[in-house]
Amino acid sequence: MATANQRGQDAHERRTGPGPEGSDLHALAVQLRRMNGEINRVVHGFAGAHTLHATDIQALAAILDAPEPMTPGRLRRHLGLTSGAVTACVDRLERAGHVRRVRESADRRVVHLHYVPEAREAARRYFRPLAEAAVAARTHFDDGELAVVARFLAALNEELSHVASDGR
């Protein structure tokens, strides 16, 4: 009798073909799902320790990674949320001491979201094991291999950004 995993593998091979390309694609998908699960496990631990929602953590990451000060409107578009949901998210983050709203001096209507330095340092300490794991994994690859991985991940993220959240 086949296990559920074997039945899933058989179904996958029927969709992608049994050749090396289908097998490589399946192995890559498995590893990406596993990595996503491991990162989510740590992220959910941080959210729980700080009484935040998973969406709040996504918002913090967007604020941290933004090339310029984040606005609630850009955060709404980035997260794919309604205005009300983003306001509730920012309110939670502000109450928890993670972000502060700053009104632009030239135009008081413009609000920038800033990651509070002490909260950023707390997040840095919490997520340090993820950075250390990346450093440890990096030792297994040369610079050329890492450049290919980085290009692949950038291309995958770009493609994923075009996938509708409703699965279409």
Side-chain angles (χ1 to χ4, degrees):
M1 176 171 258
T3 66
N5 202 24
Q6 289 166 329
R7 286 190 304 274
Q9 174 67 30
D10 292 344
H12 175 78
E13 285 181 0
R14 283 192 299 277
R15 287 190 306 275
T16 62
E21 184 177 304
S23 177
D24 290 347
L25 185 58
H26 175 74
L28 179 63
V30 166
Q31 291 305 318
L32 287 171
R33 281 191 299 271
R34 181 176 173 210
M35 181 182 69
N36 187 50
E38 295 296 337
I39 290 172
N40 280 339
R41 179 179 53 78
V42 176
V43 166
H44 285 282
F46 181 82
H50 293 270
T51 322
L52 298 173
H53 297 208
T55 302
D56 300 341
I57 305 304
Q58 291 177 330
L60 285 173
I63 293 166
L64 179 66
D65 295 341
E68 57 190 350
M70 182 62 78
T71 65
R74 283 203 321 272
L75 185 61
R76 180 188 61 75
R77 287 187 297 279
H78 178 81
L79 297 175
L81 298 175
T82 65
S83 296
V86 165
T87 298
C89 174
V90 173
D91 287 346
R92 280 191 305 272
L93 291 171
E94 194 169 42
R95 273 194 311 274
H98 289 274
V99 300
R100 62 185 164 82
R101 291 175 170 106
V102 176
R103 295 224 176 258
E104 188 64 32
S105 60
D107 183 349
R108 301 288 296 155
R109 295 171 298 173
V110 176
V111 175
H112 289 154
L113 305 173
H114 294 278
Y115 209 139
V116 173
E118 297 80 14
R120 183 187 296 217
E121 184 53 38
R124 213 176 253 137
R125 280 192 307 275
Y126 189 92
F127 289 106
R128 186 165 288 127
L130 284 180
E132 291 168 351
V135 168
R138 192 241 182 273
T139 65
H140 301 285
F141 301 90
D142 65 36
D143 290 343
E145 291 170 317
L146 286 173
V148 170
V149 170
R151 275 197 342 268
F152 170 77
L153 291 174
L156 179 58
N157 284 327
E158 179 61 26
E159 293 298 327
L160 290 173
S161 76
H162 300 294
V163 174
S165 60
D166 62 5
R168 287 187 264 160

